[in-house]
Amino acid sequence: MFKKENLEAAAQSMNLLIVIDTEYVKANYPSPSQDQNNPTGIDHNSQFMICTGTRGVISGQGTADLSFKANPGDYLSVYGQSIYANSDDAVIVYDLKYWNGDQVFNNFQVDTVSRTNVVFPQTGTANGLPAVTGPASFISLDSRVSKQGTENFYVCFALYTLAADGETQQLYGYYYWDPTITVS
């Protein structure tokens, strides 16, 4: 029989959703880098991080700076999108990299999950119900917590805007900001 302490020590899976207010980014940083290896730095006013599955949020839920509790061995999956759910402007979070402090996370890796029967709102109905199903793939950046501490890191993302044809999303530029995450 497992003791409660053993269950609390077992690795947990955490999910972090990053939502970017792309209108703010474009208005305040209209000439971004076109080099993914040298993104344009931005302030902390357009990003919203929401985390679930942690051992508790310390502070910053829904802001650009988030502190949460985790244990070494816990897993973190990071997802990103624009405030438009990537339908007009789109965001792809392509890197989270250490730059200062304790290196709390191992390197992040791209992970893909494909499902055959994902629900979508039905067009032609007043409220999108009943839902219809179809295939879809979901991308995340995944890592494992290597140790406790406070890590300063860069979140790098590509911003795409809707072209004049109303169908095509084109690269607008590459950006980053420098949040701090505390794992305690």
Side-chain angles (χ1 to χ4, degrees):
M1 184 132 235
F2 289 104
K3 294 182 179 180
K4 182 179 178 185
E5 297 83 29
N6 292 345
L7 293 175
E8 290 174 353
Q12 289 188 193
S13 293
M14 303 173 290
N15 294 290
L16 175 63
L17 174 62
I18 299 172
V19 178
I20 307 290
D21 178 351
T22 55
E23 293 302 328
Y24 178 91
V25 173
K26 292 185 300 184
N28 290 279
Y29 302 93
S31 301
S33 172
Q34 299 299 300
D35 178 1
Q36 69 179 341
N37 297 311
N38 188 28
T40 299
I42 62 173
D43 62 28
H44 293 214
N45 295 321
S46 62
Q47 311 90 328
F48 306 91
M49 297 193 296
I50 303 165
C51 195
T52 64
T54 68
R55 296 175 188 274
V57 171
I58 298 168
S59 66
Q61 182 79 287
T63 71
D65 292 292
L66 176 65
S67 294
F68 58 87
K69 295 178 184 176
N71 285 349
D74 287 350
Y75 297 92
L76 179 65
S77 294
V78 180
Y79 304 87
Q81 68 178 25
S82 72
I83 196 72
Y84 299 107
N86 284 352
S87 66
D88 287 347
D89 290 346
V91 165
I92 296 175
V93 175
Y94 67 90
D95 199 5
L96 283 89
K97 57 185 172 182
Y98 165 84
W99 73 271
N100 194 5
D102 303 309
Q103 192 160 2
V104 170
F105 295 107
N106 292 315
N107 290 331
F108 282 83
Q109 305 284 330
V110 174
D111 193 18
T112 304
V113 173
S114 297
R115 295 200 165 103
T116 56
N117 291 303
V118 175
V119 295
F120 297 97
Q122 186 174 147
T123 59
T125 65
N127 60 6
L129 296 176
V132 295
T133 61
S137 293
F138 304 92
I139 306 296
S140 62
L141 290 176
D142 295 346
S143 182
R144 207 158 180 187
V145 176
S146 63
K147 65 179 180 180
Q148 293 181 337
T150 299
E151 179 174 333
N152 300 297
F153 63 100
Y154 298 130
V155 176
C156 303
F157 66 93
L159 171 57
Y160 294 82
T161 57
L162 195 59
D165 66 5
E167 296 289 332
T168 307
Q169 292 175 323
Q170 299 174 325
L171 179 67
Y172 186 78
Y174 297 100
Y175 296 94
Y176 79 94
W177 88 98
D178 56 347
T180 300
I181 288 191
T182 301
V183 178
S184 62

Coordinates of all heavy atoms in Angstrom, one line a residue, residues 63-158:
T63 N -0.1 36.3 -15.2 CA 0.8 37.4 -15.5 C 2.0 36.9 -16.4 O 2.1 35.7 -16.6 CB 1.4 38.1 -14.3 OG1 2.3 37.2 -13.6 CG2 0.2 38.5 -13.3
A64 N 2.9 37.8 -16.7 CA 4.1 37.5 -17.4 C 5.2 36.9 -16.5 O 6.2 36.4 -17.0 CB 4.7 38.7 -18.2
D65 N 5.0 36.9 -15.2 CA 6.0 36.4 -14.3 C 5.3 35.5 -13.3 O 4.4 35.9 -12.6 CB 6.7 37.5 -13.5 CG 7.6 38.3 -14.4 OD1 8.6 37.8 -14.8 OD2 7.2 39.5 -14.7
L66 N 5.6 34.2 -13.3 CA 4.9 33.2 -12.5 C 5.9 32.5 -11.6 O 7.0 32.1 -12.0 CB 4.3 32.2 -13.5 CG 3.5 31.0 -13.0 CD1 2.3 31.4 -12.2 CD2 3.1 30.1 -14.1
S67 N 5.5 32.2 -10.4 CA 6.2 31.4 -9.5 C 5.3 30.3 -9.0 O 4.1 30.6 -8.6 CB 6.7 32.2 -8.3 OG 7.6 33.2 -8.6
F68 N 5.8 29.1 -9.0 CA 5.0 27.9 -8.6 C 5.8 26.9 -7.9 O 7.0 26.9 -8.0 CB 4.2 27.3 -9.7 CG 5.1 26.8 -10.9 CD1 5.6 25.5 -10.8 CD2 5.4 27.6 -11.9 CE1 6.4 25.1 -11.8 CE2 6.2 27.1 -13.0 CZ 6.7 25.9 -12.9
K69 N 5.2 26.0 -7.2 CA 5.9 24.9 -6.5 C 5.9 23.7 -7.4 O 5.0 23.4 -8.1 CB 5.1 24.6 -5.2 CG 5.1 25.7 -4.2 CD 4.3 25.3 -2.9 CE 4.2 26.4 -1.9 NZ 3.4 26.1 -0.8
A70 N 7.1 23.1 -7.4 CA 7.3 21.8 -8.1 C 8.4 21.1 -7.4 O 9.1 21.6 -6.6 CB 7.6 22.1 -9.6
N71 N 8.5 19.8 -7.7 CA 9.6 19.0 -7.2 C 10.5 18.6 -8.3 O 10.0 18.5 -9.5 CB 9.0 17.7 -6.5 CG 8.4 17.9 -5.2 OD1 8.5 19.0 -4.6 ND2 7.7 16.9 -4.7
P72 N 11.8 18.3 -8.0 CA 12.6 17.8 -9.0 C 12.0 16.5 -9.6 O 11.4 15.7 -8.8 CB 13.9 17.5 -8.3 CG 13.9 18.5 -7.2 CD 12.5 18.6 -6.8
G73 N 12.0 16.3 -10.9 CA 11.4 15.1 -11.5 C 10.0 15.4 -12.1 O 9.5 14.7 -12.9
D74 N 9.4 16.5 -11.7 CA 8.1 16.9 -12.2 C 8.2 17.3 -13.7 O 9.3 17.7 -14.1 CB 7.4 18.1 -11.5 CG 6.9 17.7 -10.1 OD1 6.9 16.5 -9.8 OD2 6.5 18.6 -9.3
Y75 N 7.2 17.1 -14.5 CA 7.2 17.4 -15.9 C 6.4 18.7 -16.2 O 5.4 19.0 -15.5 CB 6.5 16.3 -16.7 CG 7.2 15.0 -16.6 CD1 6.8 14.1 -15.6 CD2 8.2 14.6 -17.5 CE1 7.5 12.8 -15.5 CE2 8.8 13.4 -17.4 CZ 8.5 12.5 -16.5 OH 9.1 11.3 -16.4
L76 N 6.9 19.5 -17.1 CA 6.3 20.7 -17.5 C 6.1 20.7 -19.0 O 7.0 20.5 -19.8 CB 7.1 22.0 -17.1 CG 6.4 23.3 -17.5 CD1 5.1 23.6 -16.8 CD2 7.4 24.5 -17.3
S77 N 4.8 20.9 -19.5 CA 4.5 21.1 -20.9 C 4.1 22.5 -21.1 O 3.2 23.0 -20.4 CB 3.4 20.1 -21.3 OG 3.9 18.8 -21.3
V78 N 4.7 23.2 -22.1 CA 4.4 24.6 -22.4 C 3.7 24.8 -23.7 O 4.2 24.2 -24.7 CB 5.7 25.5 -22.3 CG1 5.4 26.9 -22.6 CG2 6.4 25.3 -21.0
Y79 N 2.5 25.5 -23.7 CA 1.8 25.7 -24.9 C 1.7 27.2 -25.1 O 1.6 28.0 -24.1 CB 0.3 25.1 -24.8 CG 0.3 23.7 -24.4 CD1 0.4 23.2 -23.1 CD2 0.2 22.7 -25.4 CE1 0.4 21.9 -22.8 CE2 0.2 21.4 -25.1 CZ 0.3 21.0 -23.8 OH 0.2 19.6 -23.5
G80 N 1.6 27.7 -26.4 CA 1.5 29.1 -26.6 C 0.5 29.4 -27.7 O 0.3 28.6 -28.6
Q81 N -0.2 30.6 -27.6 CA -1.1 31.0 -28.6 C -1.3 32.5 -28.5 O -1.0 33.1 -27.5 CB -2.4 30.3 -28.6 CG -3.2 30.6 -27.4 CD -4.6 29.8 -27.4 OE1 -4.7 28.8 -28.1 NE2 -5.6 30.3 -26.8
S82 N -1.9 33.1 -29.5 CA -2.3 34.5 -29.5 C -3.6 34.6 -28.8 O -4.3 33.7 -28.5 CB -2.4 35.0 -30.9 OG -3.6 34.5 -31.5
I83 N -3.9 35.9 -28.5 CA -5.2 36.2 -27.8 C -6.4 35.8 -28.8 O -7.5 35.6 -28.3 CB -5.3 37.7 -27.4 CG1 -6.4 37.9 -26.4 CG2 -5.4 38.6 -28.6 CD1 -6.2 37.3 -25.0
Y84 N -6.1 35.6 -30.0 CA -7.0 35.2 -31.1 C -7.1 33.7 -31.2 O -7.7 33.2 -32.2 CB -6.7 35.8 -32.4 CG -6.7 37.3 -32.5 CD1 -5.5 38.0 -32.5 CD2 -7.8 38.0 -32.4 CE1 -5.4 39.4 -32.6 CE2 -7.8 39.4 -32.5 CZ -6.6 40.1 -32.5 OH -6.6 41.4 -32.6
A85 N -6.5 32.9 -30.3 CA -6.5 31.5 -30.4 C -5.8 31.1 -31.7 O -6.2 30.1 -32.3 CB -7.8 30.8 -30.2
N86 N -4.9 31.9 -32.2 CA -4.1 31.7 -33.4 C -4.9 31.7 -34.7 O -4.5 31.3 -35.7 CB -3.3 30.4 -33.4 CG -2.1 30.5 -32.5 OD1 -1.7 31.6 -32.0 ND2 -1.4 29.4 -32.2
S87 N -6.1 32.3 -34.6 CA -7.0 32.4 -35.9 C -6.7 33.6 -36.7 O -6.7 33.5 -37.9 CB -8.4 32.3 -35.5 OG -8.8 33.5 -34.8
D88 N -6.4 34.7 -36.2 CA -6.0 35.9 -36.9 C -4.4 36.0 -36.8 O -3.7 35.5 -37.6 CB -6.7 37.2 -36.4 CG -8.1 37.3 -36.8 OD1 -8.6 36.5 -37.7 OD2 -8.8 38.1 -36.3
D89 N -4.0 36.7 -35.8 CA -2.6 36.6 -35.4 C -2.3 35.3 -34.8 O -3.2 34.7 -34.1 CB -2.2 37.7 -34.4 CG -2.2 39.1 -35.0 OD1 -2.2 39.3 -36.3 OD2 -2.1 40.1 -34.2
A90 N -1.1 34.7 -35.0 CA -0.8 33.4 -34.5 C 0.6 33.6 -33.8 O 1.4 34.4 -34.2 CB -0.7 32.4 -35.5
V91 N 0.8 32.8 -32.7 CA 2.0 32.7 -32.0 C 2.5 31.3 -31.9 O 1.7 30.4 -31.6 CB 1.8 33.3 -30.5 CG1 2.9 32.9 -29.6 CG2 1.6 34.8 -30.6
I92 N 3.8 31.1 -32.1 CA 4.4 29.8 -31.9 C 5.5 30.0 -30.9 O 6.5 30.8 -31.2 CB 5.0 29.2 -33.2 CG1 3.8 28.9 -34.1 CG2 5.8 27.9 -32.8 CD1 4.3 28.4 -35.5
V93 N 5.4 29.5 -29.7 CA 6.5 29.5 -28.7 C 7.5 28.5 -29.2 O 7.2 27.3 -29.2 CB 6.0 29.2 -27.3 CG1 7.1 29.1 -26.3 CG2 5.0 30.3 -26.8
Y94 N 8.7 28.9 -29.5 CA 9.7 28.0 -30.1 C 10.9 27.7 -29.2 O 11.7 26.8 -29.5 CB 10.1 28.5 -31.5 CG 10.9 29.8 -31.5 CD1 12.3 29.7 -31.4 CD2 10.3 31.0 -31.7 CE1 13.0 30.9 -31.5 CE2 11.0 32.2 -31.8 CZ 12.4 32.1 -31.7 OH 13.1 33.3 -31.7
D95 N 11.1 28.4 -28.1 CA 12.2 28.2 -27.3 C 12.0 28.7 -25.9 O 11.4 29.8 -25.7 CB 13.5 28.7 -27.9 CG 14.7 28.1 -27.3 OD1 14.7 27.1 -26.6 OD2 15.9 28.6 -27.7
L96 N 12.4 28.0 -24.9 CA 12.5 28.5 -23.5 C 14.0 28.1 -23.1 O 14.3 27.0 -23.1 CB 11.6 27.8 -22.6 CG 10.1 28.3 -22.7 CD1 9.3 27.5 -23.7 CD2 9.5 28.1 -21.3
K97 N 14.8 29.2 -22.9 CA 16.1 28.9 -22.6 C 16.7 29.6 -21.4 O 16.3 30.8 -21.2 CB 17.0 29.1 -23.8 CG 17.0 30.5 -24.4 CD 17.8 30.5 -25.7 CE 17.6 31.8 -26.4 NZ 18.4 31.9 -27.6
Y98 N 17.4 28.9 -20.6 CA 18.1 29.5 -19.4 C 19.0 30.6 -19.8 O 19.7 30.6 -20.8 CB 18.9 28.3 -18.8 CG 19.8 28.8 -17.7 CD1 19.4 29.0 -16.4 CD2 21.2 29.0 -18.0 CE1 20.3 29.5 -15.5 CE2 22.1 29.5 -17.1 CZ 21.6 29.7 -15.8 OH 22.5 30.1 -14.8
W99 N 19.0 31.7 -18.9 CA 20.0 32.7 -19.1 C 20.7 33.1 -17.7 O 21.7 33.7 -17.8 CB 19.5 33.9 -19.8 CG 18.5 34.8 -19.1 CD1 17.2 34.7 -19.1 CD2 18.8 36.0 -18.4 NE1 16.6 35.7 -18.4 CE2 17.6 36.5 -17.9 CE3 20.0 36.7 -18.1 CZ2 17.5 37.6 -17.2 CZ3 19.9 37.8 -17.3 CH2 18.7 38.3 -16.8
N100 N 20.0 32.9 -16.6 CA 20.6 33.4 -15.3 C 20.0 32.6 -14.2 O 18.8 32.2 -14.2 CB 20.4 34.9 -15.2 CG 21.3 35.5 -14.1 OD1 22.1 34.8 -13.5 ND2 21.1 36.8 -13.9
G101 N 20.7 32.6 -13.0 CA 20.1 32.0 -11.8 C 20.4 30.5 -11.8 O 21.3 30.0 -12.4
D102 N 19.5 29.8 -11.0 CA 19.6 28.4 -10.9 C 19.0 27.8 -12.2 O 17.9 28.2 -12.7 CB 18.7 27.9 -9.7 CG 19.2 28.5 -8.4 OD1 20.4 28.4 -8.2 OD2 18.3 29.0 -7.7
Q103 N 19.6 26.8 -12.8 CA 19.0 26.1 -13.9 C 18.0 25.1 -13.4 O 18.4 23.9 -13.2 CB 20.1 25.5 -14.8 CG 19.5 25.1 -16.2 CD 20.5 24.9 -17.2 OE1 21.7 25.1 -17.0 NE2 20.1 24.6 -18.4
V104 N 16.8 25.5 -13.3 CA 15.7 24.7 -12.7 C 15.2 23.6 -13.7 O 14.8 22.5 -13.2 CB 14.5 25.6 -12.3 CG1 13.3 24.9 -11.9 CG2 15.0 26.5 -11.1
F105 N 15.2 23.9 -15.0 CA 14.7 23.0 -16.0 C 15.8 22.4 -16.8 O 16.8 23.0 -17.0 CB 13.7 23.7 -16.9 CG 12.5 24.2 -16.3 CD1 12.3 25.6 -16.1 CD2 11.5 23.3 -15.9 CE1 11.1 26.0 -15.5 CE2 10.3 23.8 -15.3 CZ 10.2 25.2 -15.1
N106 N 15.5 21.1 -17.2 CA 16.4 20.6 -18.3 C 16.0 21.3 -19.6 O 15.1 22.1 -19.6 CB 16.1 19.0 -18.4 CG 16.6 18.3 -17.1 OD1 17.7 18.6 -16.6 ND2 15.8 17.4 -16.6
N107 N 16.8 20.9 -20.6 CA 16.5 21.6 -21.9 C 15.0 21.2 -22.4 O 14.6 20.1 -22.1 CB 17.5 21.1 -23.0 CG 18.8 21.6 -22.8 OD1 19.0 22.7 -22.2 ND2 19.8 20.9 -23.2
F108 N 14.4 22.1 -23.0 CA 13.0 21.9 -23.5 C 13.1 21.2 -24.9 O 14.0 21.6 -25.7 CB 12.3 23.2 -23.6 CG 11.8 23.7 -22.3 CD1 12.6 24.4 -21.4 CD2 10.5 23.4 -21.9 CE1 12.1 24.8 -20.2 CE2 10.0 23.8 -20.6 CZ 10.8 24.5 -19.8
Q109 N 12.2 20.3 -25.1 CA 12.1 19.6 -26.4 C 10.7 19.8 -27.0 O 9.7 19.8 -26.2 CB 12.3 18.1 -26.1 CG 13.6 17.7 -25.4 CD 14.8 17.8 -26.4 OE1 14.7 17.6 -27.6 NE2 16.0 18.2 -25.8
V110 N 10.6 19.8 -28.3 CA 9.3 19.9 -29.0 C 8.6 18.5 -28.9 O 9.3 17.5 -29.1 CB 9.4 20.3 -30.4 CG1 8.1 20.3 -31.2 CG2 10.0 21.7 -30.5
D111 N 7.4 18.5 -28.5 CA 6.6 17.3 -28.5 C 5.3 17.4 -29.2 O 4.7 18.5 -29.2 CB 6.3 16.9 -27.0 CG 5.8 15.5 -26.8 OD1 6.0 14.6 -27.7 OD2 5.3 15.2 -25.8
T112 N 4.9 16.4 -29.9 CA 3.6 16.5 -30.7 C 2.7 15.3 -30.3 O 3.2 14.2 -30.1 CB 3.9 16.3 -32.2 OG1 4.9 17.3 -32.6 CG2 2.7 16.4 -33.0
V113 N 1.4 15.7 -30.1 CA 0.4 14.7 -29.8 C -0.6 14.8 -30.9 O -1.1 15.9 -31.1 CB -0.2 14.9 -28.4 CG1 -1.4 13.9 -28.3 CG2 0.8 14.7 -27.3
S114 N -0.9 13.7 -31.6 CA -1.9 13.7 -32.7 C -3.1 12.9 -32.2 O -2.9 11.8 -31.7 CB -1.4 13.2 -34.0 OG -0.3 14.0 -34.5
R115 N -4.3 13.5 -32.4 CA -5.5 12.7 -32.1 C -6.5 12.7 -33.3 O -6.5 13.7 -34.1 CB -6.2 13.4 -30.9 CG -5.3 13.4 -29.6 CD -6.1 13.6 -28.4 NE -5.3 13.2 -27.2 CZ -4.7 14.0 -26.4 NH1 -4.8 15.3 -26.6 NH2 -4.0 13.5 -25.4
T116 N -7.2 11.6 -33.4 CA -8.1 11.5 -34.6 C -9.5 12.0 -34.4 O -10.1 12.4 -35.4 CB -8.2 10.0 -35.0 OG1 -8.6 9.3 -33.9 CG2 -6.8 9.5 -35.4
N117 N -10.0 12.2 -33.2 CA -11.4 12.6 -33.0 C -11.4 13.8 -32.0 O -12.1 13.7 -31.0 CB -12.2 11.4 -32.5 CG -12.4 10.4 -33.6 OD1 -12.9 10.7 -34.6 ND2 -12.0 9.2 -33.3
V118 N -10.8 14.9 -32.4 CA -10.9 16.1 -31.6 C -12.2 16.8 -31.9 O -12.6 16.9 -33.1 CB -9.6 17.0 -31.9 CG1 -9.7 18.3 -31.2 CG2 -8.4 16.2 -31.6
V119 N -12.8 17.4 -30.9 CA -14.0 18.1 -31.1 C -13.8 19.6 -31.7 O -12.8 20.2 -31.3 CB -15.0 18.2 -29.9 CG1 -15.4 16.8 -29.5 CG2 -14.3 18.9 -28.7
F120 N -14.7 20.0 -32.5 CA -14.7 21.3 -33.1 C -16.1 21.8 -33.1 O -17.1 21.0 -33.3 CB -14.2 21.3 -34.6 CG -12.8 20.9 -34.7 CD1 -12.5 19.6 -35.1 CD2 -11.7 21.8 -34.5 CE1 -11.2 19.2 -35.2 CE2 -10.4 21.4 -34.7 CZ -10.1 20.1 -35.0
P121 N -16.3 23.1 -33.0 CA -17.7 23.6 -33.1 C -18.3 23.4 -34.5 O -17.5 23.4 -35.5 CB -17.6 25.2 -32.9 CG -16.2 25.3 -32.2 CD -15.4 24.2 -32.7
Q122 N -19.5 23.0 -34.5 CA -20.2 22.8 -35.8 C -20.6 24.1 -36.5 O -21.3 24.9 -35.8 CB -21.4 21.9 -35.6 CG -22.0 21.4 -36.9 CD -23.1 20.4 -36.7 OE1 -24.1 20.5 -37.5 NE2 -23.1 19.6 -35.7
T123 N -20.2 24.3 -37.7 CA -20.6 25.5 -38.4 C -22.1 25.3 -38.8 O -22.6 24.2 -39.0 CB -19.8 25.8 -39.6 OG1 -19.8 24.6 -40.5 CG2 -18.3 26.0 -39.2
G124 N -22.8 26.4 -39.0 CA -24.2 26.3 -39.4 C -25.2 26.2 -38.3 O -26.4 26.1 -38.6
T125 N -24.7 26.1 -37.1 CA -25.6 26.1 -35.9 C -25.4 27.4 -35.1 O -24.4 28.0 -35.2 CB -25.4 24.9 -35.0 OG1 -24.1 25.0 -34.4 CG2 -25.5 23.6 -35.8
A126 N -26.4 27.7 -34.4 CA -26.4 29.0 -33.6 C -25.3 29.0 -32.5 O -24.7 30.1 -32.3 CB -27.7 29.3 -33.0
N127 N -25.0 27.9 -32.0 CA -24.0 27.9 -30.9 C -22.9 26.9 -31.1 O -22.1 26.6 -30.1 CB -24.7 27.5 -29.5 CG -25.4 26.2 -29.6 OD1 -25.3 25.4 -30.5 ND2 -26.2 25.9 -28.5
G128 N -22.7 26.3 -32.2 CA -21.6 25.4 -32.5 C -21.9 24.0 -32.0 O -21.0 23.1 -32.2
L129 N -23.1 23.7 -31.5 CA -23.4 22.4 -31.0 C -24.4 21.7 -31.8 O -25.2 22.4 -32.4 CB -23.9 22.5 -29.5 CG -22.8 23.0 -28.5 CD1 -23.5 23.2 -27.2 CD2 -21.6 22.1 -28.5
P130 N -24.4 20.4 -31.9 CA -23.4 19.5 -31.3 C -22.1 19.6 -32.1 O -22.0 19.9 -33.2 CB -24.1 18.1 -31.5 CG -24.9 18.3 -32.7 CD -25.4 19.7 -32.7
A131 N -21.0 19.3 -31.3 CA -19.7 19.4 -31.9 C -19.5 18.3 -33.0 O -20.2 17.3 -33.0 CB -18.7 19.2 -30.8
V132 N -18.6 18.6 -33.8 CA -18.1 17.6 -34.8 C -16.7 17.2 -34.5 O -16.0 17.9 -33.7 CB -18.2 18.2 -36.3 CG1 -19.6 18.5 -36.7 CG2 -17.4 19.4 -36.4
T133 N -16.2 16.1 -35.0 CA -14.9 15.7 -34.7 C -14.0 15.6 -36.0 O -14.5 15.4 -37.1 CB -14.9 14.3 -34.0 OG1 -15.5 13.3 -34.9 CG2 -15.7 14.3 -32.7
G134 N -12.7 15.6 -35.7 CA -11.8 15.5 -36.8 C -10.4 15.4 -36.3 O -10.1 15.6 -35.1
P135 N -9.4 15.2 -37.1 CA -8.0 15.0 -36.6 C -7.4 16.4 -36.3 O -7.7 17.4 -36.9 CB -7.3 14.4 -37.8 CG -8.1 14.8 -39.0 CD -9.5 14.9 -38.5
A136 N -6.5 16.4 -35.3 CA -5.7 17.6 -35.0 C -4.4 17.1 -34.3 O -4.4 16.1 -33.7 CB -6.5 18.5 -34.1
S137 N -3.4 18.0 -34.4 CA -2.1 17.8 -33.7 C -1.9 18.9 -32.8 O -2.3 20.1 -33.0 CB -1.0 17.7 -34.7 OG -1.1 16.6 -35.5
F138 N -1.3 18.6 -31.6 CA -1.0 19.6 -30.6 C 0.5 19.6 -30.3 O 1.1 18.5 -30.1 CB -1.8 19.3 -29.3 CG -3.3 19.2 -29.6 CD1 -3.9 18.0 -29.9 CD2 -4.1 20.4 -29.5 CE1 -5.3 18.0 -30.2 CE2 -5.4 20.3 -29.8 CZ -6.0 19.1 -30.1
I139 N 1.1 20.8 -30.3 CA 2.5 20.9 -30.1 C 2.8 21.6 -28.7 O 2.1 22.5 -28.3 CB 3.1 21.8 -31.2 CG1 2.8 21.3 -32.6 CG2 4.6 22.0 -31.0 CD1 3.4 20.0 -32.9
S140 N 3.8 21.0 -28.0 CA 4.2 21.6 -26.7 C 5.7 21.6 -26.7 O 6.3 20.8 -27.4 CB 3.6 20.9 -25.5 OG 4.0 19.5 -25.5
L141 N 6.2 22.4 -25.8 CA 7.7 22.3 -25.4 C 7.7 21.7 -24.0 O 7.0 22.2 -23.1 CB 8.3 23.7 -25.4 CG 8.5 24.4 -26.7 CD1 9.0 25.8 -26.5 CD2 9.4 23.6 -27.6
D142 N 8.4 20.6 -23.9 CA 8.4 19.8 -22.7 C 9.8 19.7 -22.0 O 10.8 19.7 -22.7 CB 7.9 18.4 -23.0 CG 6.5 18.3 -23.5 OD1 5.8 19.3 -23.3 OD2 6.1 17.2 -24.0
S143 N 9.7 19.7 -20.7 CA 10.9 19.6 -19.9 C 10.6 18.9 -18.6 O 9.4 18.8 -18.2 CB 11.6 20.9 -19.7 OG 12.8 20.8 -18.9
R144 N 11.6 18.6 -17.9 CA 11.5 18.1 -16.6 C 12.2 19.0 -15.6 O 13.3 19.6 -15.9 CB 12.2 16.7 -16.5 CG 11.6 15.8 -15.5 CD 11.9 14.3 -15.9 NE 11.3 13.6 -14.8 CZ 11.5 12.3 -14.6 NH1 12.2 11.6 -15.5 NH2 10.9 11.7 -13.6
V145 N 11.7 19.2 -14.4 CA 12.3 20.0 -13.4 C 13.5 19.2 -12.9 O 13.4 18.1 -12.5 CB 11.3 20.3 -12.2 CG1 12.0 21.0 -11.1 CG2 10.1 21.0 -12.7
S146 N 14.7 19.9 -13.0 CA 15.9 19.2 -12.5 C 16.2 19.5 -11.1 O 16.9 18.7 -10.4 CB 17.1 19.7 -13.4 OG 17.3 21.1 -13.3
K147 N 15.8 20.7 -10.6 CA 16.1 21.0 -9.2 C 15.3 22.2 -8.8 O 14.7 22.9 -9.6 CB 17.6 21.3 -8.9 CG 18.1 22.5 -9.7 CD 19.6 22.7 -9.4 CE 20.2 23.9 -10.1 NZ 21.6 24.1 -9.8
Q148 N 15.3 22.5 -7.5 CA 14.6 23.7 -7.0 C 15.5 24.9 -7.1 O 16.7 24.8 -7.2 CB 14.2 23.5 -5.5 CG 13.1 22.4 -5.4 CD 12.7 22.2 -4.0 OE1 13.4 22.5 -3.0 NE2 11.5 21.6 -3.8
G149 N 14.9 26.1 -7.2 CA 15.6 27.3 -7.3 C 14.8 28.3 -8.0 O 13.6 28.2 -8.3
T150 N 15.5 29.4 -8.4 CA 14.9 30.5 -9.2 C 15.7 30.6 -10.5 O 16.9 30.8 -10.5 CB 14.9 31.8 -8.4 OG1 14.2 31.6 -7.2 CG2 14.3 32.9 -9.2
E151 N 15.0 30.5 -11.6 CA 15.6 30.5 -12.9 C 15.1 31.7 -13.7 O 13.9 32.0 -13.8 CB 15.3 29.2 -13.7 CG 15.9 29.3 -15.1 CD 15.7 28.0 -15.9 OE1 15.6 26.9 -15.2 OE2 15.7 28.0 -17.1
N152 N 16.0 32.5 -14.3 CA 15.7 33.5 -15.2 C 15.9 32.9 -16.6 O 16.9 32.3 -16.9 CB 16.6 34.7 -15.1 CG 16.5 35.3 -13.7 OD1 15.4 35.8 -13.3 ND2 17.6 35.3 -12.9
F153 N 14.9 33.0 -17.4 CA 15.0 32.4 -18.8 C 14.3 33.2 -19.8 O 13.6 34.2 -19.5 CB 14.4 31.0 -18.7 CG 12.9 30.9 -18.4 CD1 12.0 30.8 -19.5 CD2 12.4 31.0 -17.1 CE1 10.6 30.7 -19.2 CE2 11.1 31.0 -16.8 CZ 10.2 30.8 -17.9
Y154 N 14.5 32.9 -21.0 CA 13.9 33.6 -22.2 C 12.8 32.7 -22.7 O 13.0 31.5 -23.0 CB 14.9 33.9 -23.3 CG 16.1 34.8 -22.9 CD1 17.4 34.4 -23.2 CD2 15.8 36.0 -22.3 CE1 18.4 35.3 -22.8 CE2 16.9 36.8 -21.9 CZ 18.2 36.4 -22.2 OH 19.2 37.3 -21.8
V155 N 11.6 33.3 -23.0 CA 10.6 32.7 -23.7 C 10.6 33.3 -25.1 O 10.4 34.5 -25.2 CB 9.2 32.9 -23.1 CG1 8.1 32.3 -24.0 CG2 9.1 32.3 -21.7
C156 N 10.9 32.6 -26.1 CA 11.0 33.1 -27.5 C 9.8 32.6 -28.3 O 9.3 31.5 -28.2 CB 12.2 32.5 -28.2 SG 13.8 32.9 -27.3
F157 N 9.2 33.6 -29.0 CA 8.0 33.2 -29.8 C 8.1 33.9 -31.2 O 8.6 35.0 -31.3 CB 6.7 33.5 -29.1 CG 6.4 35.0 -28.8 CD1 5.7 35.7 -29.7 CD2 6.9 35.6 -27.7 CE1 5.4 37.1 -29.4 CE2 6.7 36.9 -27.4 CZ 5.9 37.7 -28.3
A158 N 7.5 33.3 -32.2 CA 7.3 33.8 -33.5 C 5.9 34.3 -33.6 O 4.9 33.7 -33.1 CB 7.5 32.7 -34.6

